[in-house]
Amino acid sequence: MKIAKAEVIVTSPDRNFVTLKLTTEDGLTGLGDATLNGRELAVVSYLKDHVAPLLIGSDASRIEDTWQFLYRSAYWRRGPVTMASIASVDMALWDIKGKAAGMPVYQLLGGASRTGLMAYGHASGKEMPEIFDSIRSHLEEGYRSIRVQTGVPGLKAIYGIASQSMDTTDADVRYDHEPARRGAKPTEEDWDTRAYLKHLPGVFEAVRNEFGPDLPLLHDGHHRMTPIQAAKLGKSLEPYDLFWLEDCTPAENQEALRLVRQHTTTPLAIGEIFNTVWDFKDLIRDQLIDYVRGAVTHMGGISPLKKTLEYAAQYQIKSGMHGPTDISPVGMAAAMHLGLSIHNFGIQEYMKHGKRTDQVFEQSYTWENGMLHPGDEPGLGVELNQDEAGKYPYEQAYLPYNRLADGTVHDW
């Protein structure tokens, strides 16, 4: 089962996606997601110029060996570009193996550990009435867990607020929560941590009063606080019983989470920008987090993220895999297969893609009664309509960035 062709396909139906398509000599195909939001073409070059030529003639059934070869032979290891590239190969090989076996990938990973995957949606608003309306809308869509992001008085535009996102009159495009703006340069936003820390607890108090104590609520700090600020926020949110507080401080400083942990019992989720188990190793070993936020697309694929989550399971730490719209349906399907099979699944982030994306990526996964399921088609269960993909060429797009009131660039 040798690889005969390796194609890198870039399409931009609702946003930019990078997809690797492998074809074997006997005609089996496999897809992998290599999307790196705002730096897509760097991965395209890495795949086209350095990875694809190495795959031709290799045995598609040797998933682990291929992964180790691509990781170790380059010498320059890790990093988002390298790991997104390797991830796409790993996913595509699992897709091929599933098709060869006539089984969905989750069956090859040990079978289902549950009937479906609880997912959370993204509710937001500039002010409380808008937040309440957004939460009700998500509940009507079937979500049973809700991430709540709020505007802050005095700030014009901040991360995660749907009504402040990209302007569009196209009803077919789901830009509700996709912050990447198409254009030559990133958009500038503003930030004030003190105002945010003062405002946020009151928002969650109002949400709890309106929706009761049982609805799981999440919040994303998006790396914007110092360790002591994060500790203060975690403590102030304890009365509102959050499912988790995500990315409360830049976690490249692993020791910072120790200080946060000492001061709050609010569960912590970390790692959507991490690329390998080495980024998580100390956080898991020292039990400084409760949820692993890694993405299949950015962690090198299904194979290494499964190992990372098995390691986390030894410390009763669960999965919380990254799943915004900058993960293509291929990457989302891979996360679902992995989540369905592991024992220590926690929750799956799930943002619905736009209609054009759904036409480009034909999916078998389902969303019913607040639960995701990858489906039972052989492989990952996603096929790429290349004719449809060809209608939407790449468009340069960047995530925004932050400045404080005095002009200092801040974490976004």
Side-chain angles (χ1 to χ4, degrees):
M1 197 165 64
K2 292 185 177 180
I3 297 171
K5 186 188 296 185
E7 303 168 81
V8 182
I9 298 139
V10 183
T11 183
S12 189
D14 299 315
R15 51 147 303 107
N16 293 315
F17 297 109
V18 180
T19 306
L20 176 68
K21 181 179 180 180
L22 300 181
T23 305
T24 67
E25 290 177 345
D26 49 358
L28 291 176
T29 61
L31 298 179
D33 180 21
T35 307
L36 187 61
N37 202 349
R39 297 294 185 270
E40 297 91 351
L41 297 186
V43 186
V44 171
S45 175
Y46 194 101
L47 280 170
K48 280 186 175 179
D49 299 332
H50 303 291
V51 173
L54 300 176
L55 297 174
I56 306 303
S58 63
D59 186 347
S61 67
R62 298 181 63 173
I63 299 176
E64 180 68 16
D65 182 69
T66 300
W67 195 97
Q68 297 293 345
F69 167 67
L70 293 176
Y71 181 78
R72 297 177 186 278
S73 69
Y75 185 70
W76 308 107
R77 302 179 184 180
R78 306 167 67 184
V81 174
T82 296
M83 300 311 291
S85 301
I86 295 176
S88 67
V89 178
D90 186 79
M91 279 183 251
L93 294 180
W94 277 109
D95 195 17
I96 289 171
K97 188 174 285 287
K99 291 173 181 176
M103 303 172 71
V105 167
Y106 76 82
Q107 293 287 10
L108 305 181
L109 298 175
S113 290
R114 57 198 48 81
T115 57
L117 306 170
M118 182 173 71
Y120 70 89
H122 294 189
S124 67
K126 295 179 183 177
E127 298 178 352
M128 290 313 309
E130 197 173 84
I131 294 172
F132 287 177
D133 287 346
S134 182
I135 293 173
R136 291 190 187 100
S137 176
H138 280 80
L139 292 173
E140 289 169 2
E141 289 185 47
Y143 287 98
R144 300 179 186 176
S145 305
I146 306 290
R147 192 189 80 167
V148 178
Q149 302 299 127
T150 177
V152 175
L155 299 182
K156 297 185 292 293
I158 63 172
Y159 165 79
I161 311 303
S163 57
Q164 298 174 159
S165 293
M166 184 185 302
D167 294 328
T168 180
T169 57
D170 188 342
D172 290 336
V173 181
R174 179 101 181 189
Y175 282 128
D176 299 20
H177 314 285
E178 174 49 59
R181 273 79 162 180
R182 302 187 183 200
K185 293 188 177 181
T187 301
E188 182 178 305
E189 296 180 349
D190 52 353
W191 184 249
D192 183 335
T193 305
R194 183 175 177 84
Y196 163 78
L197 293 175
K198 181 180 179 181
H199 181 66
L200 191 64
V203 170
F204 276 91
E205 180 180 23
V207 170
R208 275 287 176 231
N209 289 339
E210 181 71 16
F211 294 95
D214 296 328
L215 177 64
L217 299 176
L218 305 84
H219 180 71
D220 186 358
H222 226 246
H223 318 103
R224 291 179 169 177
M225 288 161 278
T226 65
I228 197 66
Q229 289 169 340
K232 180 179 180 180
L233 179 63
K235 191 170 185 64
S236 70
L237 293 175
E238 284 178 11
Y240 314 113
D241 187 27
L242 266 62
F243 186 95
W244 79 34
L245 172 61
E246 177 186 347
D247 287 337
C248 56
T249 190
E252 295 98 317
N253 176 10
Q254 308 278 298
E255 195 68 19
L257 273 297
R258 193 178 306 280
L259 186 149
V260 179
R261 197 63 137 179
Q262 289 170 351
H263 290 281
T264 182
T265 58
T266 297
L268 302 176
I270 292 289
E272 70 180 43
I273 62 170
F274 286 174
N275 307 127
T276 71
V277 67
W278 304 108
D279 299 311
F280 282 107
K281 180 177 69 69
D282 293 348
L283 296 178
I284 292 172
R285 180 198 62 201
D286 296 342
Q287 302 177 69
L288 301 180
I289 60 173
D290 301 280
Y291 295 92
V292 167
R293 284 282 288 140
V296 174
T297 301
H298 302 135
M299 282 281 293
I302 292 171
S303 301
L305 187 51
K306 178 176 171 60
K307 295 173 186 176
T308 302
L309 292 170
E310 288 170 345
Y311 173 49
Q314 313 311 309
Y315 298 93
Q316 302 177 61
I317 296 170
K318 296 184 177 183
S319 73
M321 281 178 264
H322 194 45
T325 50
D326 63 328
I327 305 294
S328 86
V330 177
M332 279 300 306
M336 291 180 206
H337 283 278
L338 180 56
L340 196 69
S341 67
I342 59 174
H343 178 258
N344 59 324
F345 172 80
I347 198 168
Q348 175 63 54
E349 181 178 19
Y350 177 51
M351 293 175 65
K352 296 180 180 179
H353 287 100
K355 291 181 180 179
R356 294 200 290 246
T357 297
D358 290 342
Q359 290 167 353
V360 170
F361 297 92
E362 299 164 354
Q363 308 144 27
S364 68
Y365 59 76
T366 58
W367 168 248
E368 295 179 4
N369 300 318
M371 304 288 276
L372 291 164
H373 193 284
D376 288 306
E377 291 295 317
L380 292 176
V382 179
E383 295 298 331
L384 180 69
N385 185 328
Q386 289 189 243
D387 290 338
E388 198 69 24
K391 297 178 182 179
Y392 308 110
Y394 169 81
E395 295 185 42
Q396 193 168 44
Y398 290 105
L399 294 171
Y401 72 102
N402 273 340
R403 288 190 186 273
L404 303 179
D406 67 358
T408 302
V409 174
H410 190 62
D411 292 308
W412 183 81

PDB file of all heavy atoms in Angstrom, residues 356-381:
ATOM      1  N   ARG A 356     -20.427  27.204   2.898  1.00  0.00           N
ATOM      2  CA  ARG A 356     -19.497  26.947   1.804  1.00  0.00           C
ATOM      3  C   ARG A 356     -18.429  25.939   2.226  1.00  0.00           C
ATOM      4  O   ARG A 356     -18.021  25.085   1.433  1.00  0.00           O
ATOM      5  CB  ARG A 356     -18.870  28.260   1.329  1.00  0.00           C
ATOM      6  CG  ARG A 356     -19.877  29.211   0.685  1.00  0.00           C
ATOM      7  CD  ARG A 356     -19.181  30.238  -0.195  1.00  0.00           C
ATOM      8  NE  ARG A 356     -18.419  31.201   0.559  1.00  0.00           N
ATOM      9  CZ  ARG A 356     -18.712  32.501   0.634  1.00  0.00           C
ATOM     10  NH1 ARG A 356     -19.777  32.973   0.010  1.00  0.00           N
ATOM     11  NH2 ARG A 356     -17.953  33.323   1.307  1.00  0.00           N
ATOM     12  N   THR A 357     -17.973  26.045   3.482  1.00  0.00           N
ATOM     13  CA  THR A 357     -17.006  25.065   3.982  1.00  0.00           C
ATOM     14  C   THR A 357     -17.611  23.667   3.997  1.00  0.00           C
ATOM     15  O   THR A 357     -16.951  22.687   3.628  1.00  0.00           O
ATOM     16  CB  THR A 357     -16.530  25.460   5.396  1.00  0.00           C
ATOM     17  OG1 THR A 357     -15.847  26.708   5.324  1.00  0.00           O
ATOM     18  CG2 THR A 357     -15.588  24.419   5.975  1.00  0.00           C
ATOM     19  N   ASP A 358     -18.868  23.565   4.401  1.00  0.00           N
ATOM     20  CA  ASP A 358     -19.534  22.265   4.435  1.00  0.00           C
ATOM     21  C   ASP A 358     -19.717  21.677   3.032  1.00  0.00           C
ATOM     22  O   ASP A 358     -19.823  20.460   2.884  1.00  0.00           O
ATOM     23  CB  ASP A 358     -20.891  22.386   5.127  1.00  0.00           C
ATOM     24  CG  ASP A 358     -20.754  22.647   6.624  1.00  0.00           C
ATOM     25  OD1 ASP A 358     -19.660  22.387   7.167  1.00  0.00           O
ATOM     26  OD2 ASP A 358     -21.731  23.110   7.245  1.00  0.00           O
ATOM     27  N   GLN A 359     -19.768  22.531   2.015  1.00  0.00           N
ATOM     28  CA  GLN A 359     -19.865  22.034   0.644  1.00  0.00           C
ATOM     29  C   GLN A 359     -18.508  21.559   0.116  1.00  0.00           C
ATOM     30  O   GLN A 359     -18.427  20.621  -0.667  1.00  0.00           O
ATOM     31  CB  GLN A 359     -20.433  23.129  -0.262  1.00  0.00           C
ATOM     32  CG  GLN A 359     -21.904  23.426   0.013  1.00  0.00           C
ATOM     33  CD  GLN A 359     -22.374  24.710  -0.644  1.00  0.00           C
ATOM     34  OE1 GLN A 359     -21.575  25.476  -1.208  1.00  0.00           O
ATOM     35  NE2 GLN A 359     -23.667  24.966  -0.576  1.00  0.00           N
ATOM     36  N   VAL A 360     -17.438  22.222   0.578  1.00  0.00           N
ATOM     37  CA  VAL A 360     -16.090  21.818   0.167  1.00  0.00           C
ATOM     38  C   VAL A 360     -15.682  20.522   0.866  1.00  0.00           C
ATOM     39  O   VAL A 360     -15.122  19.619   0.254  1.00  0.00           O
ATOM     40  CB  VAL A 360     -15.072  22.940   0.459  1.00  0.00           C
ATOM     41  CG1 VAL A 360     -13.639  22.449   0.255  1.00  0.00           C
ATOM     42  CG2 VAL A 360     -15.342  24.158  -0.423  1.00  0.00           C
ATOM     43  N   PHE A 361     -15.976  20.443   2.178  1.00  0.00           N
ATOM     44  CA  PHE A 361     -15.629  19.265   2.972  1.00  0.00           C
ATOM     45  C   PHE A 361     -16.917  18.500   3.293  1.00  0.00           C
ATOM     46  O   PHE A 361     -17.696  18.918   4.153  1.00  0.00           O
ATOM     47  CB  PHE A 361     -14.924  19.674   4.265  1.00  0.00           C
ATOM     48  CG  PHE A 361     -13.608  20.367   4.061  1.00  0.00           C
ATOM     49  CD1 PHE A 361     -13.539  21.756   3.984  1.00  0.00           C
ATOM     50  CD2 PHE A 361     -12.431  19.644   3.952  1.00  0.00           C
ATOM     51  CE1 PHE A 361     -12.321  22.402   3.808  1.00  0.00           C
ATOM     52  CE2 PHE A 361     -11.211  20.276   3.773  1.00  0.00           C
ATOM     53  CZ  PHE A 361     -11.162  21.662   3.696  1.00  0.00           C
ATOM     54  N   GLU A 362     -17.140  17.396   2.618  1.00  0.00           N
ATOM     55  CA  GLU A 362     -18.360  16.617   2.796  1.00  0.00           C
ATOM     56  C   GLU A 362     -18.176  15.686   3.995  1.00  0.00           C
ATOM     57  O   GLU A 362     -17.290  14.837   4.002  1.00  0.00           O
ATOM     58  CB  GLU A 362     -18.656  15.838   1.510  1.00  0.00           C
ATOM     59  CG  GLU A 362     -18.873  16.776   0.315  1.00  0.00           C
ATOM     60  CD  GLU A 362     -18.789  16.084  -1.031  1.00  0.00           C
ATOM     61  OE1 GLU A 362     -18.447  14.869  -1.056  1.00  0.00           O
ATOM     62  OE2 GLU A 362     -19.046  16.741  -2.051  1.00  0.00           O
ATOM     63  N   GLN A 363     -19.016  15.857   5.006  1.00  0.00           N
ATOM     64  CA  GLN A 363     -18.789  15.253   6.319  1.00  0.00           C
ATOM     65  C   GLN A 363     -19.820  14.180   6.648  1.00  0.00           C
ATOM     66  O   GLN A 363     -20.981  14.287   6.259  1.00  0.00           O
ATOM     67  CB  GLN A 363     -18.864  16.348   7.404  1.00  0.00           C
ATOM     68  CG  GLN A 363     -17.990  17.551   7.132  1.00  0.00           C
ATOM     69  CD  GLN A 363     -18.638  18.847   7.591  1.00  0.00           C
ATOM     70  OE1 GLN A 363     -19.451  18.855   8.501  1.00  0.00           O
ATOM     71  NE2 GLN A 363     -18.270  19.960   6.966  1.00  0.00           N
ATOM     72  N   SER A 364     -19.381  13.196   7.424  1.00  0.00           N
ATOM     73  CA  SER A 364     -20.319  12.200   7.942  1.00  0.00           C
ATOM     74  C   SER A 364     -20.558  12.380   9.439  1.00  0.00           C
ATOM     75  O   SER A 364     -21.402  11.690  10.008  1.00  0.00           O
ATOM     76  CB  SER A 364     -19.798  10.779   7.676  1.00  0.00           C
ATOM     77  OG  SER A 364     -18.640  10.503   8.445  1.00  0.00           O
ATOM     78  N   TYR A 365     -19.814  13.292  10.090  1.00  0.00           N
ATOM     79  CA  TYR A 365     -20.052  13.462  11.522  1.00  0.00           C
ATOM     80  C   TYR A 365     -21.364  14.188  11.771  1.00  0.00           C
ATOM     81  O   TYR A 365     -21.879  14.921  10.916  1.00  0.00           O
ATOM     82  CB  TYR A 365     -18.874  14.121  12.247  1.00  0.00           C
ATOM     83  CG  TYR A 365     -18.419  15.494  11.812  1.00  0.00           C
ATOM     84  CD1 TYR A 365     -19.129  16.637  12.139  1.00  0.00           C
ATOM     85  CD2 TYR A 365     -17.217  15.661  11.123  1.00  0.00           C
ATOM     86  CE1 TYR A 365     -18.679  17.902  11.795  1.00  0.00           C
ATOM     87  CE2 TYR A 365     -16.748  16.912  10.765  1.00  0.00           C
ATOM     88  CZ  TYR A 365     -17.490  18.036  11.107  1.00  0.00           C
ATOM     89  OH  TYR A 365     -17.031  19.291  10.765  1.00  0.00           O
ATOM     90  N   THR A 366     -21.927  13.948  12.968  1.00  0.00           N
ATOM     91  CA  THR A 366     -23.268  14.435  13.275  1.00  0.00           C
ATOM     92  C   THR A 366     -23.284  15.259  14.552  1.00  0.00           C
ATOM     93  O   THR A 366     -22.425  15.123  15.420  1.00  0.00           O
ATOM     94  CB  THR A 366     -24.251  13.260  13.438  1.00  0.00           C
ATOM     95  OG1 THR A 366     -23.783  12.391  14.489  1.00  0.00           O
ATOM     96  CG2 THR A 366     -24.383  12.478  12.142  1.00  0.00           C
ATOM     97  N   TRP A 367     -24.297  16.119  14.644  1.00  0.00           N
ATOM     98  CA  TRP A 367     -24.549  16.951  15.826  1.00  0.00           C
ATOM     99  C   TRP A 367     -26.018  16.778  16.183  1.00  0.00           C
ATOM    100  O   TRP A 367     -26.911  17.284  15.503  1.00  0.00           O
ATOM    101  CB  TRP A 367     -24.219  18.406  15.500  1.00  0.00           C
ATOM    102  CG  TRP A 367     -24.673  19.438  16.488  1.00  0.00           C
ATOM    103  CD1 TRP A 367     -25.639  20.391  16.303  1.00  0.00           C
ATOM    104  CD2 TRP A 367     -24.182  19.644  17.819  1.00  0.00           C
ATOM    105  NE1 TRP A 367     -25.774  21.174  17.426  1.00  0.00           N
ATOM    106  CE2 TRP A 367     -24.891  20.741  18.377  1.00  0.00           C
ATOM    107  CE3 TRP A 367     -23.208  19.009  18.591  1.00  0.00           C
ATOM    108  CZ2 TRP A 367     -24.654  21.206  19.666  1.00  0.00           C
ATOM    109  CZ3 TRP A 367     -22.974  19.470  19.883  1.00  0.00           C
ATOM    110  CH2 TRP A 367     -23.675  20.554  20.403  1.00  0.00           C
ATOM    111  N   GLU A 368     -26.288  16.009  17.233  1.00  0.00           N
ATOM    112  CA  GLU A 368     -27.657  15.726  17.632  1.00  0.00           C
ATOM    113  C   GLU A 368     -27.769  15.747  19.150  1.00  0.00           C
ATOM    114  O   GLU A 368     -26.953  15.141  19.855  1.00  0.00           O
ATOM    115  CB  GLU A 368     -28.105  14.350  17.108  1.00  0.00           C
ATOM    116  CG  GLU A 368     -28.187  14.263  15.585  1.00  0.00           C
ATOM    117  CD  GLU A 368     -28.607  12.878  15.108  1.00  0.00           C
ATOM    118  OE1 GLU A 368     -28.899  12.029  15.979  1.00  0.00           O
ATOM    119  OE2 GLU A 368     -28.626  12.657  13.886  1.00  0.00           O
ATOM    120  N   ASN A 369     -28.805  16.452  19.632  1.00  0.00           N
ATOM    121  CA  ASN A 369     -29.097  16.511  21.070  1.00  0.00           C
ATOM    122  C   ASN A 369     -27.874  16.924  21.886  1.00  0.00           C
ATOM    123  O   ASN A 369     -27.614  16.390  22.972  1.00  0.00           O
ATOM    124  CB  ASN A 369     -29.619  15.155  21.560  1.00  0.00           C
ATOM    125  CG  ASN A 369     -30.888  14.733  20.841  1.00  0.00           C
ATOM    126  OD1 ASN A 369     -31.783  15.553  20.620  1.00  0.00           O
ATOM    127  ND2 ASN A 369     -30.964  13.470  20.458  1.00  0.00           N
ATOM    128  N   GLY A 370     -27.112  17.886  21.344  1.00  0.00           N
ATOM    129  CA  GLY A 370     -25.969  18.415  22.072  1.00  0.00           C
ATOM    130  C   GLY A 370     -24.749  17.516  22.068  1.00  0.00           C
ATOM    131  O   GLY A 370     -23.804  17.759  22.830  1.00  0.00           O
ATOM    132  N   MET A 371     -24.758  16.489  21.225  1.00  0.00           N
ATOM    133  CA  MET A 371     -23.649  15.541  21.193  1.00  0.00           C
ATOM    134  C   MET A 371     -23.104  15.401  19.774  1.00  0.00           C
ATOM    135  O   MET A 371     -23.855  15.361  18.795  1.00  0.00           O
ATOM    136  CB  MET A 371     -24.104  14.169  21.700  1.00  0.00           C
ATOM    137  CG  MET A 371     -24.723  14.185  23.089  1.00  0.00           C
ATOM    138  SD  MET A 371     -23.518  14.473  24.399  1.00  0.00           S
ATOM    139  CE  MET A 371     -22.921  12.801  24.637  1.00  0.00           C
ATOM    140  N   LEU A 372     -21.779  15.300  19.681  1.00  0.00           N
ATOM    141  CA  LEU A 372     -21.110  15.040  18.414  1.00  0.00           C
ATOM    142  C   LEU A 372     -20.811  13.545  18.274  1.00  0.00           C
ATOM    143  O   LEU A 372     -20.575  12.857  19.270  1.00  0.00           O
ATOM    144  CB  LEU A 372     -19.788  15.808  18.350  1.00  0.00           C
ATOM    145  CG  LEU A 372     -19.857  17.325  18.235  1.00  0.00           C
ATOM    146  CD1 LEU A 372     -18.499  17.937  18.568  1.00  0.00           C
ATOM    147  CD2 LEU A 372     -20.307  17.754  16.846  1.00  0.00           C
ATOM    148  N   HIS A 373     -20.788  13.087  17.033  1.00  0.00           N
ATOM    149  CA  HIS A 373     -20.349  11.719  16.739  1.00  0.00           C
ATOM    150  C   HIS A 373     -19.643  11.743  15.394  1.00  0.00           C
ATOM    151  O   HIS A 373     -20.141  12.371  14.445  1.00  0.00           O
ATOM    152  CB  HIS A 373     -21.522  10.747  16.710  1.00  0.00           C
ATOM    153  CG  HIS A 373     -21.108   9.315  16.722  1.00  0.00           C
ATOM    154  ND1 HIS A 373     -20.603   8.663  15.606  1.00  0.00           N
ATOM    155  CD2 HIS A 373     -21.088   8.388  17.719  1.00  0.00           C
ATOM    156  CE1 HIS A 373     -20.302   7.422  15.910  1.00  0.00           C
ATOM    157  NE2 HIS A 373     -20.593   7.217  17.183  1.00  0.00           N
ATOM    158  N   PRO A 374     -18.492  11.066  15.241  1.00  0.00           N
ATOM    159  CA  PRO A 374     -17.754  11.126  13.988  1.00  0.00           C
ATOM    160  C   PRO A 374     -18.383  10.337  12.852  1.00  0.00           C
ATOM    161  O   PRO A 374     -17.972  10.486  11.702  1.00  0.00           O
ATOM    162  CB  PRO A 374     -16.388  10.538  14.355  1.00  0.00           C
ATOM    163  CG  PRO A 374     -16.668   9.640  15.512  1.00  0.00           C
ATOM    164  CD  PRO A 374     -17.762  10.307  16.275  1.00  0.00           C
ATOM    165  N   GLY A 375     -19.384   9.513  13.137  1.00  0.00           N
ATOM    166  CA  GLY A 375     -19.999   8.687  12.108  1.00  0.00           C
ATOM    167  C   GLY A 375     -19.262   7.370  11.924  1.00  0.00           C
ATOM    168  O   GLY A 375     -18.198   7.142  12.513  1.00  0.00           O
ATOM    169  N   ASP A 376     -19.815   6.518  11.093  1.00  0.00           N
ATOM    170  CA  ASP A 376     -19.272   5.170  10.932  1.00  0.00           C
ATOM    171  C   ASP A 376     -18.799   4.875   9.519  1.00  0.00           C
ATOM    172  O   ASP A 376     -18.622   3.707   9.145  1.00  0.00           O
ATOM    173  CB  ASP A 376     -20.316   4.138  11.366  1.00  0.00           C
ATOM    174  CG  ASP A 376     -20.495   4.124  12.881  1.00  0.00           C
ATOM    175  OD1 ASP A 376     -19.480   3.969  13.589  1.00  0.00           O
ATOM    176  OD2 ASP A 376     -21.624   4.300  13.356  1.00  0.00           O
ATOM    177  N   GLU A 377     -18.557   5.923   8.738  1.00  0.00           N
ATOM    178  CA  GLU A 377     -17.934   5.720   7.436  1.00  0.00           C
ATOM    179  C   GLU A 377     -16.480   5.282   7.632  1.00  0.00           C
ATOM    180  O   GLU A 377     -15.820   5.692   8.598  1.00  0.00           O
ATOM    181  CB  GLU A 377     -17.976   7.013   6.625  1.00  0.00           C
ATOM    182  CG  GLU A 377     -19.367   7.426   6.174  1.00  0.00           C
ATOM    183  CD  GLU A 377     -19.972   6.448   5.199  1.00  0.00           C
ATOM    184  OE1 GLU A 377     -19.232   5.988   4.285  1.00  0.00           O
ATOM    185  OE2 GLU A 377     -21.163   6.110   5.346  1.00  0.00           O
ATOM    186  N   PRO A 378     -15.942   4.474   6.728  1.00  0.00           N
ATOM    187  CA  PRO A 378     -14.532   4.079   6.861  1.00  0.00           C
ATOM    188  C   PRO A 378     -13.607   5.290   6.846  1.00  0.00           C
ATOM    189  O   PRO A 378     -13.837   6.258   6.115  1.00  0.00           O
ATOM    190  CB  PRO A 378     -14.311   3.194   5.634  1.00  0.00           C
ATOM    191  CG  PRO A 378     -15.672   2.666   5.292  1.00  0.00           C
ATOM    192  CD  PRO A 378     -16.619   3.778   5.620  1.00  0.00           C
ATOM    193  N   GLY A 379     -12.569   5.239   7.659  1.00  0.00           N
ATOM    194  CA  GLY A 379     -11.618   6.342   7.748  1.00  0.00           C
ATOM    195  C   GLY A 379     -12.128   7.450   8.643  1.00  0.00           C
ATOM    196  O   GLY A 379     -12.821   7.201   9.637  1.00  0.00           O
ATOM    197  N   LEU A 380     -11.786   8.689   8.298  1.00  0.00           N
ATOM    198  CA  LEU A 380     -12.210   9.849   9.091  1.00  0.00           C
ATOM    199  C   LEU A 380     -13.637  10.276   8.783  1.00  0.00           C
ATOM    200  O   LEU A 380     -14.264  10.986   9.568  1.00  0.00           O
ATOM    201  CB  LEU A 380     -11.256  11.024   8.844  1.00  0.00           C
ATOM    202  CG  LEU A 380      -9.829  10.864   9.370  1.00  0.00           C
ATOM    203  CD1 LEU A 380      -8.974  12.058   8.955  1.00  0.00           C
ATOM    204  CD2 LEU A 380      -9.808  10.700  10.897  1.00  0.00           C
ATOM    205  N   GLY A 381     -14.139   9.897   7.605  1.00  0.00           N
ATOM    206  CA  GLY A 381     -15.520  10.241   7.268  1.00  0.00           C
ATOM    207  C   GLY A 381     -15.690  11.615   6.660  1.00  0.00           C
ATOM    208  O   GLY A 381     -16.793  12.171   6.689  1.00  0.00           O
TER     209      GLY A 381
END
